[in-house]
Amino acid sequence: MIHIFTTGGTIEGLDYTDDVGITSSNVGIEDFLNKANIDFEYTIENVFKKDSRVVTDDDRKLLVRKIKETNATKILITHGTFTMEDTAKYIGKLNLNKTIVLVGSFILGSSADTDAPFNLGYAISSLQLLKPDVYIAMNGQIFNWDNVSKNLETNKFERNEK
């Protein structure tokens, strides 16, 4: 069983513009899963619905509480990409002994050319194969929570130089 926690972000159609503020669409993670004709047990729980630029440590504490409360050992978190690595690091430092994968999209989930379905499928596949820890799965790559950063110039995740 996979427990999916949703937190908003571009993958769910939340868009942030300086002149308008946060706008949203009716994109649901379950819609992506239904279109993909998936065949595994899952549950979806909305924890909050925010652009990741406004996610706080209090939001992360709530997310961790939800992760601890579930009996599932495979956790998928949909999250905005802007502060995704911050949330991954926050959770990763806690050693929760569950396999936790954060995923999002760079192109609005409501857009016809969105990367959301690919990223979601890739993250679910990865989640089923990875050992317990915290990861980010984006655009065909897996990043460990303690070796990832978002390059704001290229709009891609990268491994940190060691």
Side-chain angles (χ1 to χ4, degrees):
M1 157 97 122
I2 295 176
H3 198 133
I4 302 170
F5 291 108
T6 63
T7 68
T10 303
I11 194 167
E12 292 186 66
L14 286 182
D15 191 14
Y16 181 88
T17 56
D18 290 334
D19 57 336
V20 179
I22 297 175
T23 60
S24 65
S25 71
N26 292 325
V27 175
I29 299 305
E30 191 161 24
D31 296 331
F32 290 128
L33 297 176
N34 288 338
K35 287 178 184 174
N37 196 29
I38 57 95
D39 189 23
F40 61 87
E41 289 186 44
Y42 66 91
T43 185
I44 299 176
E45 182 177 347
N46 179 50
V47 180
F48 50 85
K49 197 170 190 92
K50 293 184 171 186
D51 182 283
S52 70
R53 286 171 253 228
V54 297
V55 171
T56 66
D57 279 349
D58 284 340
D59 297 322
R60 291 181 181 102
K61 286 177 190 171
L62 173 62
L63 186 56
V64 166
R65 183 171 59 79
K66 297 284 189 177
I67 292 168
K68 287 179 177 179
E69 287 173 355
T70 183
N71 291 329
T73 59
K74 305 282 186 189
I75 309 292
L76 183 73
I77 301 170
T78 63
H79 198 287
T81 60
F82 200 80
T83 61
M84 185 184 287
E85 75 271 19
D86 298 332
T87 299
K89 289 172 184 165
Y90 185 95
I91 298 169
K93 291 176 182 177
L94 300 176
N95 295 317
L96 298 176
N97 200 32
K98 296 184 181 206
T99 307
I100 301 167
V101 174
L102 286 84
V103 65
S105 65
F106 288 114
I107 302 168
L108 278 176
S110 56
S111 174
D113 61 348
T114 184
D115 55 340
F118 174 83
N119 288 342
L120 188 59
Y122 184 75
I124 289 168
S125 293
S126 301
L127 180 63
Q128 296 178 71
L129 300 171
L130 292 166
K131 65 178 177 134
D133 207 346
V134 178
Y135 307 89
I136 289 176
M138 285 293 295
N139 303 108
Q141 292 196 66
I142 300 291
F143 302 92
N144 195 277
W145 68 270
D146 62 354
N147 188 17
V148 64
S149 59
K150 183 177 176 185
N151 183 326
L152 296 176
E153 289 180 19
T154 63
N155 214 26
K156 301 268 184 208
F157 285 94
E158 302 172 344
R159 283 170 188 74
N160 300 324
E161 294 183 27
K162 289 192 173 194

